[in-house]
Coordinates of all heavy atoms in Angstrom, one line a residue:
M1 N 173.6 92.7 65.0 CA 172.8 91.9 64.0 C 171.6 91.2 64.6 O 171.7 90.6 65.7 CB 173.7 90.8 63.4 CG 174.8 91.3 62.4 SD 174.0 91.7 60.8 CE 173.8 90.1 60.1
T2 N 170.5 91.3 63.9 CA 169.3 90.6 64.4 C 169.1 89.4 63.5 O 169.7 89.3 62.4 CB 168.1 91.5 64.3 OG1 167.8 91.8 62.9 CG2 168.3 92.8 65.1
A3 N 168.4 88.5 64.0 CA 168.1 87.3 63.2 C 166.8 87.5 62.4 O 166.2 86.5 61.9 CB 167.9 86.1 64.2
E4 N 166.3 88.7 62.3 CA 165.1 88.9 61.6 C 165.1 88.5 60.2 O 166.1 88.6 59.5 CB 164.8 90.4 61.6 CG 163.7 90.8 62.6 CD 163.4 92.3 62.6 OE1 163.0 92.8 61.6 OE2 163.8 93.0 63.6
K5 N 164.0 87.9 59.7 CA 163.9 87.4 58.4 C 163.8 88.6 57.4 O 163.3 89.6 57.7 CB 162.7 86.6 58.2 CG 163.0 85.1 57.9 CD 161.7 84.3 57.8 CE 160.9 84.6 56.5 NZ 161.6 84.1 55.3
K6 N 164.5 88.5 56.2 CA 164.3 89.5 55.2 C 162.9 89.6 54.8 O 162.2 88.6 54.6 CB 165.2 89.1 54.0 CG 165.3 90.2 53.0 CD 166.4 90.0 52.0 CE 166.4 91.2 51.0 NZ 167.3 91.0 49.9
T7 N 162.4 90.8 54.6 CA 161.0 90.9 54.2 C 161.0 91.5 52.7 O 161.9 92.2 52.3 CB 160.2 91.9 55.1 OG1 160.9 93.1 55.1 CG2 160.1 91.3 56.5
Y8 N 160.0 91.1 52.0 CA 159.9 91.5 50.6 C 158.6 92.2 50.4 O 157.6 92.1 51.1 CB 159.9 90.2 49.7 CG 161.2 89.4 49.8 CD1 161.3 88.4 50.7 CD2 162.2 89.7 48.9 CE1 162.4 87.6 50.7 CE2 163.4 89.0 49.0 CZ 163.5 87.9 49.9 OH 164.7 87.2 50.0
K9 N 158.6 93.0 49.3 CA 157.4 93.8 49.0 C 156.4 93.1 48.2 O 155.3 93.6 47.9 CB 157.8 95.1 48.3 CG 158.5 96.1 49.3 CD 158.6 97.5 48.6 CE 159.1 98.6 49.5 NZ 160.4 98.4 50.0
F10 N 156.8 91.9 47.7 CA 155.8 91.2 46.9 C 156.1 89.7 47.0 O 157.2 89.3 47.5 CB 156.0 91.6 45.4 CG 157.3 91.2 44.8 CD1 157.4 89.9 44.1 CD2 158.4 91.9 44.9 CE1 158.7 89.6 43.6 CE2 159.7 91.6 44.4 CZ 159.8 90.4 43.7
D11 N 155.2 88.9 46.6 CA 155.3 87.4 46.5 C 155.2 87.0 45.1 O 154.5 87.6 44.3 CB 154.2 86.7 47.3 CG 154.3 86.9 48.8 OD1 155.4 87.1 49.3 OD2 153.3 86.9 49.5
Y12 N 155.9 85.9 44.7 CA 155.6 85.2 43.5 C 154.5 84.2 43.8 O 154.7 83.4 44.8 CB 156.8 84.6 42.9 CG 157.7 85.5 42.2 CD1 159.0 85.9 42.7 CD2 157.3 86.1 41.0 CE1 159.8 86.7 42.0 CE2 158.1 87.0 40.3 CZ 159.3 87.3 40.8 OH 160.1 88.2 40.2
V13 N 153.4 84.2 43.0 CA 152.3 83.3 43.3 C 152.0 82.5 42.0 O 151.9 83.1 40.9 CB 151.1 84.0 43.8 CG1 149.9 83.1 44.0 CG2 151.4 84.8 45.1
I14 N 151.8 81.2 42.1 CA 151.4 80.4 40.9 C 149.9 80.3 40.9 O 149.2 80.0 41.9 CB 152.0 79.0 41.0 CG1 153.5 79.1 40.9 CG2 151.4 78.1 39.9 CD1 154.2 77.7 41.1
N15 N 149.3 80.8 39.7 CA 147.9 80.7 39.5 C 147.6 79.3 39.0 O 147.8 78.9 37.9 CB 147.5 81.7 38.5 CG 146.0 81.7 38.3 OD1 145.3 80.9 38.7 ND2 145.5 82.7 37.5
A16 N 147.0 78.4 39.9 CA 146.8 77.0 39.6 C 145.9 76.8 38.4 O 146.1 75.9 37.6 CB 146.2 76.3 40.8
A17 N 145.0 77.8 38.1 CA 144.1 77.6 37.0 C 144.8 77.7 35.7 O 144.4 77.2 34.7 CB 143.0 78.7 37.1
D18 N 145.9 78.5 35.7 CA 146.7 78.7 34.4 C 147.8 77.7 34.3 O 148.4 77.6 33.2 CB 147.2 80.1 34.4 CG 146.1 81.1 34.2 OD1 145.0 80.8 33.8 OD2 146.4 82.3 34.6
C19 N 148.2 77.1 35.4 CA 149.4 76.2 35.4 C 149.2 74.9 34.6 O 148.2 74.3 34.8 CB 149.8 75.9 36.8 SG 151.2 74.8 37.0
W20 N 150.2 74.6 33.8 CA 150.1 73.4 33.0 C 150.9 72.3 33.6 O 151.1 71.2 33.1 CB 150.7 73.6 31.6 CG 149.8 74.4 30.7 CD1 148.7 75.1 31.0 CD2 150.0 74.5 29.2 NE1 148.2 75.7 29.9 CE2 148.9 75.3 28.8 CE3 150.9 74.0 28.3 CZ2 148.8 75.6 27.4 CZ3 150.7 74.3 27.0 CH2 149.7 75.1 26.6
A21 N 151.5 72.5 34.8 CA 152.3 71.5 35.5 C 153.5 71.0 34.7 O 153.8 69.8 34.7 CB 151.4 70.4 36.0
C22 N 154.1 72.0 34.0 CA 155.3 71.6 33.2 C 156.5 71.4 34.0 O 157.5 70.8 33.5 CB 155.5 72.6 32.1 SG 156.2 74.2 32.7
A23 N 156.6 71.9 35.2 CA 157.7 71.7 36.1 C 158.9 72.6 35.8 O 159.9 72.5 36.4 CB 158.1 70.3 36.2
A24 N 158.7 73.5 34.8 CA 159.9 74.4 34.5 C 160.3 75.3 35.6 O 161.4 75.5 35.9 CB 159.5 75.3 33.3
C25 N 159.3 75.8 36.4 CA 159.6 76.6 37.5 C 160.3 75.8 38.6 O 161.2 76.3 39.2 CB 158.3 77.2 38.1 SG 157.0 76.0 38.5
E26 N 159.8 74.6 38.8 CA 160.5 73.8 39.8 C 161.9 73.5 39.5 O 162.8 73.5 40.4 CB 159.7 72.5 40.0 CG 160.1 71.6 41.1 CD 159.3 70.3 41.2 OE1 158.8 69.8 40.2 OE2 159.1 69.9 42.3
M27 N 162.2 73.3 38.2 CA 163.6 73.0 37.8 C 164.5 74.2 37.9 O 165.7 74.1 38.2 CB 163.6 72.4 36.4 CG 163.1 71.0 36.4 SD 163.3 70.2 34.8 CE 162.0 71.0 33.8
E28 N 163.9 75.4 37.7 CA 164.7 76.7 37.8 C 165.0 77.1 39.2 O 166.0 77.7 39.5 CB 163.9 77.8 37.1 CG 163.9 77.8 35.6 CD 165.2 78.0 35.1 OE1 166.0 78.8 35.6 OE2 165.6 77.4 34.1
C29 N 164.1 76.7 40.1 CA 164.3 77.2 41.5 C 165.4 76.5 42.2 O 165.3 75.4 42.6 CB 163.0 77.1 42.3 SG 163.2 77.8 43.9
A30 N 166.5 77.3 42.5 CA 167.7 76.7 43.2 C 167.4 76.6 44.7 O 168.2 75.9 45.3 CB 168.9 77.6 43.0
D31 N 166.4 77.2 45.2 CA 166.1 77.1 46.6 C 165.0 76.1 47.0 O 164.6 76.1 48.1 CB 165.7 78.5 47.1 CG 166.8 79.5 46.8 OD1 167.7 79.6 47.6 OD2 166.7 80.2 45.8
N32 N 164.6 75.4 46.0 CA 163.5 74.4 46.3 C 162.3 75.0 46.9 O 161.7 74.5 47.8 CB 164.0 73.2 47.1 CG 164.9 72.3 46.4 OD1 164.6 72.0 45.2 ND2 165.9 71.8 47.0
S33 N 162.0 76.2 46.4 CA 160.8 76.9 47.0 C 159.6 76.6 46.2 O 158.5 77.0 46.6 CB 161.1 78.5 47.0 OG 162.1 78.8 47.9
V34 N 159.7 76.0 45.1 CA 158.5 75.5 44.3 C 158.2 74.1 44.8 O 159.1 73.2 44.8 CB 158.8 75.5 42.8 CG1 157.5 75.0 42.1 CG2 159.1 76.9 42.4
Y35 N 157.0 73.9 45.2 CA 156.6 72.6 45.7 C 155.2 72.2 45.2 O 154.5 73.1 44.6 CB 156.6 72.6 47.2 CG 155.5 73.4 47.9 CD1 154.4 72.9 48.4 CD2 155.7 74.8 47.9 CE1 153.4 73.7 49.0 CE2 154.7 75.6 48.5 CZ 153.6 75.0 49.0 OH 152.6 75.8 49.6
V36 N 154.8 71.0 45.4 CA 153.4 70.6 45.0 C 152.6 70.5 46.3 O 152.9 69.9 47.3 CB 153.4 69.2 44.3 CG1 152.0 68.8 44.0 CG2 154.3 69.3 43.1
D37 N 151.5 71.3 46.3 CA 150.7 71.4 47.5 C 149.7 70.3 47.7 O 149.7 69.3 46.9 CB 150.0 72.8 47.6 CG 148.9 72.9 46.6 OD1 148.4 71.9 46.0 OD2 148.4 74.1 46.3
D38 N 148.9 70.3 48.7 CA 148.0 69.2 49.1 C 147.0 69.0 48.0 O 146.4 67.9 47.9 CB 147.3 69.5 50.4 CG 148.3 69.5 51.6 OD1 149.4 68.9 51.4 OD2 148.0 70.0 52.6
N39 N 146.7 70.0 47.2 CA 145.7 69.8 46.1 C 146.4 69.4 44.8 O 145.8 69.5 43.7 CB 145.0 71.1 45.9 CG 144.2 71.5 47.1 OD1 143.5 70.6 47.7 ND2 144.2 72.7 47.5
A40 N 147.7 69.0 44.8 CA 148.5 68.6 43.7 C 148.7 69.7 42.7 O 148.8 69.5 41.5 CB 147.8 67.4 43.0
N41 N 148.7 71.0 43.2 CA 149.1 72.1 42.4 C 150.5 72.6 42.7 O 150.9 72.5 43.9 CB 148.1 73.3 42.7 CG 146.7 73.0 42.3 OD1 146.4 72.4 41.2 ND2 145.7 73.4 43.1
Y42 N 151.1 73.1 41.7 CA 152.4 73.7 42.0 C 152.2 75.0 42.8 O 151.3 75.8 42.5 CB 153.2 74.0 40.7 CG 153.9 72.8 40.1 CD1 153.3 72.1 39.1 CD2 155.1 72.5 40.6 CE1 154.0 71.0 38.6 CE2 155.8 71.4 40.2 CZ 155.2 70.6 39.2 OH 155.8 69.5 38.7
A43 N 153.1 75.2 43.7 CA 153.0 76.4 44.6 C 154.3 76.9 45.0 O 155.3 76.2 44.8 CB 152.1 76.1 45.8
I44 N 154.4 78.1 45.5 CA 155.7 78.7 45.9 C 155.7 79.0 47.4 O 154.7 79.6 47.9 CB 155.9 80.0 45.1 CG1 156.2 79.7 43.6 CG2 157.1 80.8 45.7 CD1 156.3 80.9 42.7
N45 N 156.7 78.5 48.0 CA 156.8 78.8 49.5 C 157.4 80.2 49.7 O 158.6 80.4 49.5 CB 157.7 77.7 50.1 CG 157.9 77.9 51.6 OD1 157.6 78.9 52.1 ND2 158.5 76.9 52.2
S46 N 156.6 81.1 50.1 CA 157.0 82.5 50.2 C 158.0 82.7 51.3 O 158.7 83.7 51.4 CB 155.8 83.5 50.3 OG 155.1 83.1 51.5
N47 N 158.1 81.7 52.2 CA 159.0 81.8 53.3 C 160.4 81.6 52.9 O 161.4 82.1 53.5 CB 158.6 80.9 54.5 CG 157.3 81.3 55.1 OD1 157.1 82.5 55.4 ND2 156.5 80.4 55.4
S48 N 160.6 80.7 51.9 CA 162.0 80.4 51.5 C 162.3 81.0 50.1 O 163.5 81.1 49.8 CB 162.2 78.9 51.4 OG 161.2 78.3 50.5
C49 N 161.4 81.5 49.4 CA 161.6 82.1 48.1 C 162.4 83.4 48.3 O 162.1 84.2 49.1 CB 160.2 82.5 47.5 SG 160.3 83.5 46.0
V50 N 163.5 83.5 47.4 CA 164.3 84.7 47.5 C 164.0 85.7 46.4 O 164.8 86.6 46.2 CB 165.8 84.3 47.5 CG1 166.2 83.5 48.7 CG2 166.2 83.6 46.2
R51 N 162.9 85.5 45.8 CA 162.4 86.5 44.7 C 163.4 86.7 43.6 O 163.5 87.8 43.1 CB 162.0 87.8 45.4 CG 160.6 87.9 46.0 CD 160.5 87.0 47.2 NE 159.2 87.2 47.9 CZ 158.8 86.5 49.0 NH1 159.6 85.4 49.4 NH2 157.7 86.7 49.6
C52 N 164.1 85.6 43.2 CA 165.0 85.8 42.1 C 164.3 86.0 40.8 O 164.9 86.5 39.8 CB 166.0 84.6 42.1 SG 165.2 83.1 41.6
G53 N 163.1 85.5 40.7 CA 162.3 85.7 39.4 C 162.6 84.6 38.3 O 162.1 84.7 37.3
K54 N 163.4 83.6 38.6 CA 163.7 82.6 37.6 C 162.5 81.8 37.2 O 162.3 81.5 36.0 CB 164.8 81.7 38.1 CG 166.2 82.3 38.1 CD 167.3 81.3 38.5 CE 168.6 81.9 38.5 NZ 169.6 81.0 39.1
C55 N 161.7 81.5 38.2 CA 160.5 80.7 37.9 C 159.5 81.6 37.0 O 158.9 81.1 36.1 CB 159.8 80.3 39.2 SG 159.4 81.6 40.3
F56 N 159.4 82.8 37.4 CA 158.6 83.8 36.8 C 158.9 83.9 35.3 O 158.1 83.9 34.4 CB 158.7 85.1 37.5 CG 158.0 86.3 36.9 CD1 156.6 86.4 37.1 CD2 158.6 87.3 36.2 CE1 155.9 87.5 36.6 CE2 157.9 88.4 35.7 CZ 156.5 88.5 35.9
R57 N 160.2 84.0 35.0 CA 160.7 84.1 33.6 C 160.6 82.8 32.9 O 160.5 82.7 31.7 CB 162.1 84.6 33.6 CG 162.2 86.1 34.0 CD 163.6 86.6 33.8 NE 164.6 86.1 34.7 CZ 164.9 86.5 35.9 NH1 164.3 87.6 36.4 NH2 165.8 86.0 36.6
A58 N 160.7 81.6 33.6 CA 160.7 80.3 33.0 C 159.3 79.9 32.6 O 159.2 79.0 31.7 CB 161.4 79.3 33.9
C59 N 158.3 80.4 33.2 CA 157.0 79.8 33.0 C 156.5 80.1 31.6 O 156.4 81.3 31.2 CB 156.0 80.4 34.0 SG 154.3 79.7 33.8
P60 N 156.2 79.1 30.8 CA 155.8 79.3 29.4 C 154.4 79.9 29.2 O 154.1 80.3 28.1 CB 156.0 77.9 28.8 CG 155.7 77.0 29.9 CD 156.2 77.7 31.1
V61 N 153.6 79.8 30.2 CA 152.2 80.2 30.1 C 151.8 81.4 31.0 O 150.6 81.7 31.1 CB 151.2 79.0 30.3 CG1 151.4 78.0 29.2 CG2 151.4 78.4 31.7
G62 N 152.8 82.0 31.6 CA 152.5 83.2 32.4 C 151.6 82.9 33.6 O 150.8 83.7 34.0
A63 N 151.8 81.7 34.2 CA 151.0 81.3 35.3 C 151.5 81.9 36.7 O 150.8 81.7 37.7 CB 150.8 79.8 35.4
I64 N 152.7 82.4 36.6 CA 153.3 83.0 37.9 C 153.2 84.5 37.9 O 153.5 85.2 36.9 CB 154.8 82.5 38.0 CG1 154.8 81.0 38.0 CG2 155.4 83.1 39.3 CD1 156.3 80.5 38.1
A65 N 152.6 85.0 38.9 CA 152.4 86.4 39.1 C 153.2 87.0 40.2 O 153.5 86.3 41.2 CB 150.9 86.7 39.3
R66 N 153.5 88.3 40.0 CA 154.1 89.1 41.1 C 153.0 89.7 41.8 O 152.3 90.6 41.3 CB 155.0 90.1 40.6 CG 156.5 89.7 40.4 CD 157.3 90.9 39.8 NE 157.5 91.9 40.8 CZ 158.7 92.5 41.0 NH1 159.7 92.2 40.2 NH2 158.8 93.4 41.9
V67 N 152.8 89.4 43.1 CA 151.7 90.0 43.8 C 152.2 90.9 44.9 O 152.9 90.4 45.8 CB 150.8 88.8 44.4 CG1 149.7 89.4 45.3 CG2 150.3 87.9 43.3
K68 N 151.9 92.1 44.9 CA 152.3 93.1 45.9 C 151.7 92.8 47.2 O 150.5 92.4 47.3 CB 151.9 94.5 45.5 CG 152.9 95.1 44.5 CD 152.7 96.6 44.4 CE 153.6 97.2 43.3 NZ 153.2 98.5 42.8
K69 N 152.5 93.0 48.3 CA 151.9 92.7 49.6 C 151.3 93.9 50.2 O 151.6 95.0 49.9 CB 153.1 92.2 50.5 CG 153.8 91.0 49.9 CD 154.0 89.9 50.9 CE 155.3 90.1 51.7 NZ 155.5 88.9 52.5
Ligands
SF4_1 S1 161.5 83.5 42.6 FE1 163.3 82.3 42.6 S2 163.5 81.5 44.7 FE2 161.4 82.2 44.4 S3 160.3 80.4 43.8 FE3 160.9 81.5 41.9 S4 162.8 80.5 41.3 FE4 162.4 80.0 43.5
SF4_2 S1 156.5 76.9 34.9 FE1 154.4 77.7 34.9 S2 153.1 76.1 33.8 FE2 155.1 75.2 34.4 S3 154.7 74.2 36.4 FE3 155.5 76.3 36.8 S4 153.7 77.6 37.0 FE4 153.0 75.7 36.1

């Protein structure tokens, strides 16, 4: 067994311009991977996000995108 981190083919990314700051994504995320960044925008920590998609499905305005790496 190696201690290598799991790698993913995509990231979930919050588009700050579309985000209404409703906090639905933050409440859905069981891993606390949704946080508020230095610019007071909701953001997703791709290092801890397990790509479950709950935030993506919860967002009422489609501000979360799946971005291929
Ligand atoms: S995909 Fe899942 S783990 Fe990642 S930020 Fe969204 S709710 Fe959290
Ligand atoms: S659910 Fe969508 S609109 Fe609400 S805070 Fe998250 S990204 Fe922004």
Side-chain angles (χ1 to χ4, degrees):
M1 283 288 282
T2 65
E4 258 178 64
K5 247 178 72 70
K6 187 168 182 186
T7 56
Y8 298 93
K9 290 191 167 65
F10 68 94
D11 291 331
Y12 280 113
V13 176
I14 295 175
N15 182 350
D18 293 336
C19 174
W20 285 14
C22 72
C25 54
E26 187 178 31
M27 287 187 287
E28 283 295 321
C29 184
D31 300 277
N32 285 322
S33 293
V34 178
Y35 68 102
V36 178
D37 71 13
D38 293 342
N39 297 315
N41 293 321
Y42 278 98
I44 291 171
N45 180 349
S46 61
N47 291 319
S48 58
C49 170
V50 297
R51 276 66 169 176
C52 70
K54 284 184 181 170
C55 57
F56 179 75
R57 290 189 292 274
C59 182
V61 294
I64 301 177
R66 269 181 74 137
V67 178
K68 278 191 184 166
K69 307 228 273 188

